[in-house]
Amino acid sequence: MRRLRRLVHLVLFCPLSKGLQSRLPGIKVKYLFLAWLGIFVGSWVVYMHYSSYSELCRGHVCQMIICDQYKKGIISGSTCRDLCEEHSLVFQQCLSSSPTQQVYRGRWMEKEVIIKCGIEDALKADSNPDSVPRRDLVLFDKPTRGTSMDEFREMLLNFLKANLGDQTSLAALVNQIITMADVNRDGKVSLAEAKSIWALLHLNEFLLMLSLHEKEHTSKLLGHCGDLYVTEKIPHNSLYGTNVPHFFQPLLPSAIHRIIHQWFAPAWPRRAKIAIGLLEFVEEIFHGTYGNFYICETSFKNVGYNDKYDFKMVNLRKVATEMTIRGFLKGRHCEQNVDCTYGKDCMATCDKLMKQCKGDMVQPNLAKVCGLLQDYLLYGAPSDLKEELQKQLRTCMTLSGLASQMEVHHSLVLNNLKTLLWKKISNTKYS
């Protein structure tokens, strides 16, 4: 790193002298300037990459915390032994986008997996990232010793009602959670097992994975240890099949991004199949088994597909429950609609007379997804389909989030779009 800084210093502060230029008369000044610029940009990219890596990637801290608590008997889980004793669950490539949310590609039982855990409380507790903070005092404080099984069931049910709404199906979800918590399958839930599953439920993505576990469009949950959990790896974690490295993104104009995406995107019939899966996911989370869900960052980076080109939701942390959004909007002061935004693009309407946010979304999930699919589907679309496809996508993007339009109109638009795509690829090898 010291050599890299020295190189950057030399490049920035030691411009070419006139004496050097006179020794190299055949080289034009503009070529020397371009070479200097290339070295500077390259040095900056390398420096930014390594500096951001050390800030974002703290998997060793996560593992240290989890294993310390496991050895003390505070937490339990189906992957604890493999992670902390046998070391067969291995952290490999860092995929984190935030230092408080660690995401790693790893290996477990001869398969590639994704490992996720949070270290937010750990970083707040101690400025030294290599120490072992007493996070158990805060995160794993419930349930307390002496809590009966009936009381724990009641805790779970009340928590689910608060986060998913008072759904008739919640009792079945409570049973599923208790079965998952009973790691050793002895028909009982120990205090360590209860504390672990309680902490996991407070992670938005984990709660949504449980709520949507019956759907084929989310990652499978493979195991957990404390509030660390392991999911299946989705082979293609972007709608276009590839992502431009984050440290290059600011350097490239949007037109270059679009060209790169089109270059690496699957063939159009495969894109149509992926799009159908995404539309089915939108249908599933609207009035689903456990209530309504909203996609609050509609980006090609949050959706992907498997090797069979079946759609998979890569990042459920960008999805929120209706209860979560209502809690955020309740009593919230606003001057305009943008003041009523949850996440990146879950925007509600603002009552400008009362100066308070209302509950209706400006754009429903379907309209935002159609906006995402516009470039994705129109590029390379069959000529006999393109005009009708463009018309239906445009209609879809104008949908309103008002409750009066959410039922029949949305279902009609969604089904028309699915039918149009499916007719084109059915009875072919792409179906």
Side-chain angles (χ1 to χ4, degrees), residues 144-355:
T144 56
R145 189 174 296 279
T147 303
S148 69
M149 198 63 212
D150 288 339
E151 289 173 331
F152 185 52
R153 281 181 177 273
E154 191 68 21
M155 280 177 63
L156 292 173
L157 186 59
N158 289 336
F159 174 82
L160 295 176
K161 283 180 180 179
N163 286 275
L164 300 176
D166 193 359
Q167 313 291 332
T168 56
S169 52
L170 292 184
L173 187 56
V174 169
N175 290 333
Q176 180 196 339
I177 291 169
I178 289 175
T179 301
M180 180 180 291
D182 182 16
V183 177
N184 56 10
R185 300 291 183 263
D186 62 354
K188 303 173 184 177
V189 178
S190 68
L191 185 60
E193 290 172 337
K195 284 186 174 184
S196 298
I197 203 70
W198 182 254
L200 280 168
L201 287 172
H202 285 76
L203 302 176
N204 177 62
E205 184 175 42
F206 185 86
L207 177 61
L208 293 179
M209 288 179 75
L210 284 182
S211 306
L212 301 170
H213 75 282
E214 297 173 349
K215 314 302 181 185
E216 61 181 20
H217 299 123
T218 58
S219 300
K220 290 181 182 177
L221 183 65
L222 302 178
H224 72 279
C225 179
D227 65 332
L228 174 149
Y229 57 103
V230 182
T231 69
E232 68 172 335
K233 180 181 179 294
I234 298 171
H236 306 278
N237 59 357
S238 167
L239 196 58
Y240 287 94
T242 186
N243 278 326
V244 178
H246 68 274
F247 47 86
F248 272 127
Q249 290 174 10
L251 303 176
L252 300 177
S254 58
I256 300 299
H257 279 271
R258 188 177 294 111
I259 291 170
I260 292 173
H261 290 155
Q262 292 174 352
W263 193 10
F264 287 99
W268 188 88
R270 300 198 189 281
R271 276 182 275 146
K273 183 181 179 183
I274 296 165
I276 290 170
L278 177 52
L279 293 170
E280 288 174 348
F281 177 74
V282 170
E283 198 171 19
E284 289 165 358
I285 63 176
F286 180 63
H287 288 329
T289 308
Y290 302 111
N292 295 340
F293 301 86
Y294 293 93
I295 304 171
C296 291
E297 186 176 328
T298 316
S299 167
F300 64 87
K301 298 176 184 177
N302 296 325
V303 295
Y305 54 94
N306 63 17
D307 289 331
K308 295 180 180 179
Y309 298 92
D310 297 318
F311 165 79
K312 293 286 184 179
M313 192 69 188
V314 174
N315 191 356
L316 281 173
R317 281 181 295 173
K318 305 303 181 182
V319 178
T321 67
E322 183 178 24
M323 295 298 290
T324 299
I325 294 179
R326 285 189 181 279
F328 171 81
L329 295 173
K330 187 176 180 181
R332 191 172 186 85
H333 175 80
C334 65
E335 297 292 337
Q336 49 191 343
N337 287 350
V338 72
D339 299 325
C340 304
T341 305
Y342 179 88
K344 189 173 181 180
D345 54 19
C346 277
M347 185 187 296
T349 53
C350 174
D351 186 330
K352 294 183 180 179
L353 183 64
M354 300 296 293
K355 302 290 185 182

Side-chain angles (χ1 to χ4, degrees), residues 282 286-287 294 337 345-350 358-371 392-414:
V282 170
F286 180 63
H287 288 329
Y294 293 93
N337 287 350
D345 54 19
C346 277
M347 185 187 296
T349 53
C350 174
K358 297 168 71 177
D360 289 329
M361 292 289 111
V362 174
Q363 260 194 321
N365 289 329
L366 184 56
K368 291 188 285 187
V369 162
C370 285
Q392 291 200 23
L393 284 170
R394 193 181 298 118
T395 301
C396 177
M397 290 165 61
T398 60
L399 289 172
S400 165
L402 295 175
S404 59
Q405 298 184 18
M406 286 291 283
E407 298 290 344
V408 179
H409 191 197
H410 283 219
S411 297
L412 183 63
V413 171
L414 190 147

